[in-house]
């Protein structure tokens, strides 16, 4: 139901916004996405995880605890080697790491502008007053943490296994859908909480 | 000594034992065959396309896009406009891009419009390029390159004229613009074998006098005039993309998926193949389960024959006992017989499998594009055979134990 809500709201709001392109990414609580691209010694990774997985809520941070939780999560997400543990033999070091909390419409940087949208439990009531708004479906209020990493591995051939301490750090995350691209092709894996390792042999 | 006895005893009951061996052999052949088809199909699948980093088409599902763009199964929901294609092609991340245009057919084979870059970049079986068996890449507007199966089943050679039909199952043919075969590709075991390849411009050219799926009556543009026309395609069905560096694959994929001007979908072929296999894999597991059940049935059949033979052989057993054989020897004899039967069945099954493979391989290859390699049995197959023999031994223990108990009590006199 949670996933249908934004779609329904977009449908309600549509007559007023007939000329815009409307799009929403799918959003499933408990399931994040991790993309890994490897070329030579460079490993590029991007993580998309629902706010619910990382901090346990997806409304805009109001209390200082909420904000602290988000800050702590961003700080944790910015240390990729502690979340995705690579074998020591691969000699991986972090070249660049960034993490941020983004709301669903990342294209228009209006996050934080909608303070009046306080109670997201009765968001249907807000529909009408939002028609004049240039934005739409803000009520959905799904948030995602996005992180991007670049690693440099002295011996990428030794990347035989990745251990996902990620699930230990974020108690609400159930699953990561991992896609890996190397020179030899692309492959998809599902890494779940109860078996948090990824076997990369055969990808090189 | 006991081995010779067991063998002689089996030979003496040749017909029954032969039937049991045949049943086990057939079931083993079926099991190994299913296993072979399963792994062959999976490898064949994964080998269909390699070296392509992304496939782009109209937004639908990744499996659907893969099916129509690579396997030529089903149809595109939408086309991709030429403008979007140009936009994509000019992106810096792109190393190469090959457009594909589908929708016409020649007899039962699909016609695909593309550029000559297709022959350079389309790869199969871990990076093998398409090779020409005869002829060359199309050069003229009305040249076509045909796949191996097309040439085989329609008997075409280089230089033969062919006519392309409009739409897929239609009888209206583009009669005015006959194409000429300029090249025949080598067998690949991929859907390319069953494809007629023409240039993108040729796809436009054959539709010059057509509107809304029907001929414009009385209008035929002479071929010479068509050659003068601007034949830039208006739309393509899909495109194959190679990226400069794997590191850019995901960002390019996202950029295409979020392309604001047109709903597009970019997929990673390897991942989509996996997804597709995940769907097909259920049937595959069911097939495997059924063939396991057949093996089990054959083994139970063997148990039944041993049971029924116990009565006939009661006197025989008693004689063995009288001659000094211990009850354990009787037990061993029966189990050994069962092991020999199962082993004979397993070997027969293996033989049947290879016989079947030799006969069926070319047929399956041409009919389904599924290449089943004839390899010597691998460890996996050896383990299966061993498992069958072991299962035979275990199953035979039940009648053997019965014989053991009977032989303790039975005298030489058969009571009736």
């Amino acid at each position: 139901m949670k996933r249908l809500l934004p779609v329904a709201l977009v449908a309600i709001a549509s007559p007023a916004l007939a000329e815009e392109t409307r799009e929403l990414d799918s959003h499933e609580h408990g399931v994040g996405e991790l993309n890994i691209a490897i070329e030579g010694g460079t490993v590029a990774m991007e993580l998309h995880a629902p706010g619910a997985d990382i901090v346990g809520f997806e409304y805009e941070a109001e209390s200082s605890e909420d904000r602290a939780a988000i800050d702590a999560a961003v700080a944790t997400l910015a240390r990729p080697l502690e979340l995705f543990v690579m074998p020591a033999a691969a000699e991986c070091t972090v070249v660049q790491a960034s993490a941020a909390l983004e709301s669903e419409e990342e294209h228009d940087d209006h996050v934080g502008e909608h303070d009046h949208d306080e109670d997201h439990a009765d968001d249907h009531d807000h529909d009408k007053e939002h028609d004049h708004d240039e934005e739409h479906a803000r009520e959905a209020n799904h948030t995602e943490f996005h992180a991007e990493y670049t690693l440099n591995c002295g011996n990428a051939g030794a990347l035989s296994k990745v251990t996902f301490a990620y699930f230990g750090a974020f108690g609400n995350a159930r699953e990561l859908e991992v896609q890996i691209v190397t020179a030899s092709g692309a492959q998809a894996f599902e890494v779940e909480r109860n078996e948090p390792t990824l076997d990369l042999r055969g990808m090189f | 000594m006991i081995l010779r006895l067991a063998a002689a005893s089996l030979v003496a009951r040749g017909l029954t034992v032969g039937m049991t061996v045949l049943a086990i052999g057939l079931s083993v052949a079926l099991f190994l065959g299913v296993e072979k088809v399963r792994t062959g199909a999976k490898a064949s699948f994964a080998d269909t396309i390699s070296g392509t980093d992304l496939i782009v088409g109209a937004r639908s599902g990744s499996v659907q896009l893969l099916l129509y763009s690579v396997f030529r199964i089903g149809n595109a929901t939408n086309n991709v406009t030429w403008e979007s294609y140009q936009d994509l092609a000019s992106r810096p991340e792109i190393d190469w891009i090959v457009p594909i245009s589908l929708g016409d057919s020649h007899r039962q084979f699909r016609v695909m419009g593309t550029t000559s870059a297709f022959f350079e970049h389309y790869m199969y079986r871990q990076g093998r390029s398409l090779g020409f068996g005869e002829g060359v890449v199309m050069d003229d507007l009305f040249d076509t390159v045909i796949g191996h199966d097309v040439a085989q089943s329609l008997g075409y050679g280089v230089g033969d004229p062919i006519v392309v039909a409009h739409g897929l199952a239609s009888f209206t043919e583009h009669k005015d613009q006959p194409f000429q075969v300029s090249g025949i590709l080598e067998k690949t075991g991929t859907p390319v074998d069953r494809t007629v390849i023409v240039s993108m411009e040729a796809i436009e050219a054959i539709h010059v006098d057509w509107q809304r799926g029907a001929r414009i009556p009385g209008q035929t543009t002479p071929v010479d005039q068509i050659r003068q026309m601007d034949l830039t395609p208006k739309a393509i069905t899909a495109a194959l993309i190679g990226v400069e560096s794997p590191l850019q694959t995901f960002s390019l994929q996202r950029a295409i998926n979020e392309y604001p001007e047109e709903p597009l979908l970019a997929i990673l072929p390897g991942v989509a193949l996996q997804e597709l296999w995940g769907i097909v894999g259920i049937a595959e597991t069911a097939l495997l389960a059924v063939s396991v059940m057949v093996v089990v049935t054959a083994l139970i059949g063997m148990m039944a024959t041993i049971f029924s033979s116990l009565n006939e052989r009661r006197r025989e057993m008693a004689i063995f006992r009288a001659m000094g054989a211990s009850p354990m020897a009787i037990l061993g004899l029966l189990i050994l017989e069962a092991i020999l039967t199962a082993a004979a069945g397993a070997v027969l099954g293996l033989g049947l499998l290879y016989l079947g493979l030799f006969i069926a391989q070319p047929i399956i290859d041409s009919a389904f594009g599924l290449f089943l390699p004839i390899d010597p049995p691998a460890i996996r197959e050896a383990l299966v055979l061993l498992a069958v023999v072991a299962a035979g031994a275990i199953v035979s223990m039940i009648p053997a134990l019965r014989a053991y108990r009977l032989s303790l009590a039975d005298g030489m006199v058969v009571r009736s």
Side-chain angles (χ1 to χ4, degrees):
Chain A
M1 195 48 221
K2 213 159 195 147
R3 299 169 71 190
L4 287 176
L5 192 61
V7 179
L9 287 170
V10 168
I12 295 165
S14 57
L17 307 147
E19 280 159 22
E20 265 181 56
T21 315
R22 280 174 298 278
E23 246 178 337
L24 279 180
D25 284 338
S26 63
H27 182 93
E28 187 180 350
H29 288 181
V31 182
E33 286 167 30
L34 177 69
N35 293 335
I36 306 175
I38 304 172
E39 190 194 31
T42 312
V43 178
M45 298 167 70
E46 25 173 80
L47 174 73
H48 290 209
D53 288 23
I54 305 293
V55 288
F57 60 86
E58 295 199 346
Y59 50 83
E60 259 168 50
E62 289 140 22
S63 63
S64 54
E65 291 102 75
D66 289 351
R67 270 187 278 274
I70 289 175
D71 289 345
V74 168
T76 311
L77 284 171
R79 292 192 296 272
L81 289 180
E82 287 170 30
L83 296 175
F84 311 104
V85 184
M86 319 262 179
E91 299 164 21
C92 293
T93 50
V94 180
V95 177
Q96 178 266 332
S98 63
L101 175 64
E102 286 173 37
S103 123
E104 201 120 56
E105 290 118 313
E106 52 179 286
H107 324 291
D108 18 60
D109 291 324
H110 293 288
V111 184
E113 212 182 85
H114 296 262
D115 310 307
H116 59 282
D117 190 5
E118 267 154 17
D119 192 356
H120 106 131
D122 62 352
D123 34 22
H124 293 274
D125 298 349
H126 292 271
D127 277 353
K128 286 175 202 84
E129 78 184 61
H130 270 261
D131 276 355
H132 63 270
D133 202 334
E134 81 287 355
E135 287 304 323
H136 50 89
R138 294 283 331 153
E139 297 85 346
N141 227 353
H142 281 306
T143 57
E144 273 199 346
F145 282 88
H146 290 193
E148 280 182 28
Y149 314 118
T150 312
L151 311 179
N152 209 332
C153 296
N155 183 13
L159 270 179
S160 54
K161 192 174 125 181
V162 179
T163 309
F164 287 73
Y166 170 83
F167 293 106
F170 304 112
N172 291 328
R174 281 187 288 110
E175 189 183 317
L176 268 184
E177 286 173 359
V178 183
Q179 296 192 102
I180 299 184
V181 170
T182 63
S184 60
Q187 242 181 307
F189 301 90
E190 270 178 20
V191 180
E192 293 182 6
R193 168 170 287 275
N194 49 20
E195 219 204 318
T197 54
L198 179 61
D199 191 345
L200 289 183
R201 283 171 300 177
M203 282 306 296
F204 296 98
Chain B
M1 160 58 193
I2 198 162
L3 185 70
R4 225 180 57 209
L5 202 59
S9 156
L10 287 176
V11 171
R13 288 174 293 121
L15 192 66
T16 1
V17 173
M19 281 312 178
T20 312
V21 168
L22 188 66
I24 294 176
L26 280 176
S27 69
V28 167
L30 179 72
F31 178 80
L32 291 178
V34 165
E35 189 65 11
K36 201 90 184 160
V37 170
R38 205 172 67 97
T39 47
K42 192 169 184 176
S44 211
F45 244 61
D47 283 347
T48 310
I49 185 162
S50 76
T52 298
D53 294 310
L54 290 171
I55 300 175
V56 180
R59 196 168 299 166
S60 50
S62 54
V63 170
Q64 196 194 0
L65 175 55
L66 183 78
L67 280 177
Y68 69 71
S69 66
V70 175
F71 291 93
R72 326 241 190 282
I73 296 170
N75 292 301
T77 45
N78 272 307
N79 281 341
V80 177
T81 59
W82 186 247
E83 287 80 3
S84 298
Y85 168 74
Q86 292 288 351
D87 245 21
L88 270 181
S90 63
R91 289 186 70 98
E93 301 99 317
I94 288 182
D95 182 26
W96 53 266
I97 181 164
V98 176
I100 287 176
S101 189
L102 298 161
D104 286 298
S105 68
H106 174 69
R107 305 282 186 94
Q108 69 270 43
F109 299 106
R110 296 262 180 133
V111 172
M112 180 178 83
T114 185
T115 62
S116 54
F118 179 80
F119 301 99
E120 216 175 294
H121 295 299
Y122 182 86
M123 291 182 186
Y124 68 102
R125 281 189 202 160
Q126 279 110 46
R128 249 197 272 174
S129 291
L130 294 172
F132 277 84
E134 274 178 73
V136 288
V137 177
M138 61 260 185
D139 180 33
D140 184 71
L141 179 60
F142 291 112
D143 272 354
T144 139
V145 171
I146 58 177
H148 183 266
D149 293 358
V150 181
Q152 283 275 304
S153 57
L154 300 180
Y156 289 154
V158 172
D160 286 353
I162 71 170
V163 170
V164 174
H166 190 56
L168 290 178
S170 99
F171 298 99
T172 49
E173 296 192 333
H174 297 262
K175 281 231 167 65
D176 345 304
Q177 297 106 11
F179 283 78
Q180 205 178 30
V181 177
S182 80
I184 298 171
L185 293 171
E186 275 171 5
K187 179 102 187 148
T188 61
T190 70
V192 173
D193 291 346
R194 299 183 299 282
T195 308
V196 174
I197 301 170
V198 300
S199 67
M200 291 300 287
E201 290 76 23
I203 294 277
E204 283 300 306
I206 52 182
H207 296 103
V208 163
D209 288 331
W210 293 71
Q211 242 173 27
R212 292 166 194 264
R215 282 205 59 131
I216 303 167
Q219 189 179 331
T220 25
T221 314
V223 169
D224 295 344
Q225 206 178 320
I226 289 176
R227 287 181 193 280
Q228 307 300 319
M229 293 169 79
D230 175 23
L231 293 173
T232 312
K234 287 165 200 69
I236 62 167
T237 311
L240 310 179
I241 290 177
V243 292
E244 288 279 350
S245 149
L247 300 179
Q248 294 163 328
T249 312
F250 290 115
S251 59
L252 180 64
Q253 185 188 21
R254 196 168 39 254
I256 294 171
N257 287 341
E258 290 172 358
Y259 185 69
E261 281 87 352
E262 192 174 348
L264 297 177
L265 175 71
I267 58 165
L268 301 163
V271 172
L273 278 167
Q274 248 177 297
E275 239 178 272
L276 184 54
W277 191 253
I279 300 167
V280 181
I282 298 169
E284 165 213 62
T285 317
L287 209 61
L288 199 66
V290 169
S291 59
V292 169
M293 290 316 289
V294 174
V295 175
V296 170
T297 313
L299 288 174
I300 290 176
M302 180 177 78
M303 182 165 84
T305 25
I306 299 175
F307 258 124
S308 66
S309 75
L310 281 188
N311 255 343
E312 302 165 17
R313 299 174 69 188
R314 217 154 159 183
R315 189 180 293 241
E316 182 191 331
M317 297 298 168
I319 292 170
F320 283 144
R321 290 281 283 132
M323 289 175 74
S326 68
M328 273 314 274
I330 304 275
L331 182 96
L333 177 72
L334 282 173
I335 293 179
L336 191 64
E337 281 183 26
I339 289 177
L340 287 176
T341 312
V347 171
L348 178 70
L350 199 64
L352 285 174
L353 172 77
Y354 280 97
L355 185 70
L357 271 181
F358 271 111
I359 297 168
Q361 191 199 35
I363 304 167
I364 292 175
D365 197 3
S366 63
F368 305 109
L370 180 61
F371 181 75
L372 300 177
I374 303 182
D375 298 328
I379 296 172
R380 206 182 141 77
E381 275 137 4
L383 283 179
V384 169
L385 297 185
L386 215 60
V388 169
V389 175
I394 293 166
V395 154
S396 71
M397 286 218 191
I398 304 163
L401 278 174
R402 189 179 148 82
Y404 173 85
R405 268 191 293 114
L406 285 179
S407 67
L408 286 178
D410 259 6
M412 305 241 316
V413 182
V414 178
R415 284 175 289 265
S416 49

